[in-house]
Amino acid sequence: MDLKGFDQAGRHTAGDTRSVKVMIAGGFGTGKTTMVRSVSDIKPLTTEETLTQASADVDRLIGVADKTETTVSLDFGKIGINDSLVLYLFGTPGQERFWFLWNGLFKGALGAVVLVDTRRLASSFRAIEEMERQDVPFVIALNVFPDSKDYPVDEIRDALDIPGHIPVVAFDARDRSASRDVLVTLIHHLRDRSAAAVESR
């Protein structure tokens, strides 16, 4: 893959391989930890803790009543896209009480994947707003759960108010190949943005 235009955002490693920081963001229970676990080439670092009754009034479990654990800091994984590109994946915590951690996690990120649960669109509004506020390029990944309705992508795009130039793709976060394809979509999106920026000069 041609990475021309990414020289300032990434860094070189041994063998002229470029490493890039990518955020995996989204609302509570959208599948961020699952995606990092499924796609990482290494055993991922996760900071999941058991949900307890003490957090019942804080963590909104509507639509995710079966969820028993939650990320309290970050998830970390790594995947080689090809011989010249390695992505370092940083998964954000989804609950509002941990959003203060996001600012630090976004530093140095080249782009992001925002996971969306189509059963609970509103749970990812904050993540999308944060991408726009911090000017982080992103793609939308619709995580297909067993009981998710099959909405047309254009309907979801309209509901989330996502501009046409931002990719919106459906996938299964449990599937390594599907998760990798989402990351490749992000890289293509970043490359296209870089090329457009050069042409507009």
Side-chain angles (χ1 to χ4, degrees):
M1 181 181 298
D2 181 12
L3 295 176
K4 184 177 181 182
F6 292 135
D7 291 347
Q8 300 302 316
R11 65 181 180 84
H12 290 287
T13 56
D16 202 34
T17 297
R18 185 171 306 286
S19 61
V20 171
K21 180 179 181 180
V22 169
M23 304 304 302
I24 308 297
F28 180 50
T30 53
K32 300 176 296 296
T33 299
T34 299
M35 179 179 180
V36 173
R37 282 179 172 161
S38 73
V39 80
S40 181
D41 290 336
I42 62 172
K43 182 178 180 180
L45 166 68
T46 61
T47 57
E48 287 206 311
E49 295 293 339
T50 302
L51 287 167
T52 65
Q53 190 59 39
S55 70
D57 294 332
V58 180
D59 297 322
R60 299 175 184 174
L61 297 180
I62 298 173
V64 287
D66 294 335
K67 189 171 176 60
T68 59
E69 295 182 322
T70 185
T71 299
V72 297
S73 179
L74 62 85
D75 298 318
F76 174 77
K78 169 186 165 186
I79 177 173
I81 296 297
N82 56 30
D83 291 340
S84 63
L85 180 63
V86 173
L87 304 184
Y88 289 99
L89 311 175
F90 289 78
T92 65
Q95 315 93 304
E96 185 173 351
R97 59 192 167 117
F98 296 123
W99 285 351
F100 71 93
L101 296 169
W102 284 30
N103 285 337
L105 290 175
F106 275 99
K107 288 182 180 177
L110 187 67
V113 174
V114 177
L115 267 67
V116 171
D117 179 351
T118 58
R119 304 168 303 175
R120 302 176 298 116
L121 289 181
S123 67
S124 291
F125 286 171
R126 170 59 192 268
I128 295 170
E129 291 171 357
E130 196 65 17
M131 299 303 147
E132 293 171 343
R133 185 180 76 83
Q134 302 227 21
D135 196 27
V136 175
F138 66 96
V139 299
I140 297 291
L142 309 176
N143 190 9
V144 179
F145 289 85
D147 58 342
S148 297
K149 290 184 179 179
D150 187 18
Y151 297 102
V153 168
D154 286 344
E155 285 188 17
I156 300 297
R157 181 186 295 279
D158 289 343
L160 294 173
D161 194 23
I162 302 298
H165 69 277
I166 296 177
V168 178
V169 296
F171 86 122
D172 184 340
R174 300 168 298 180
D175 184 86
R176 173 179 169 81
S177 179
S179 294
R180 183 184 181 282
D181 287 346
V182 170
L183 294 170
V184 171
T185 297
L186 173 63
I187 295 302
H188 282 299
H189 178 55
L190 295 174
R191 184 190 59 192
D192 292 344
R193 276 175 53 99
S194 178
V198 171
E199 289 176 3
S200 66
R201 290 177 184 171

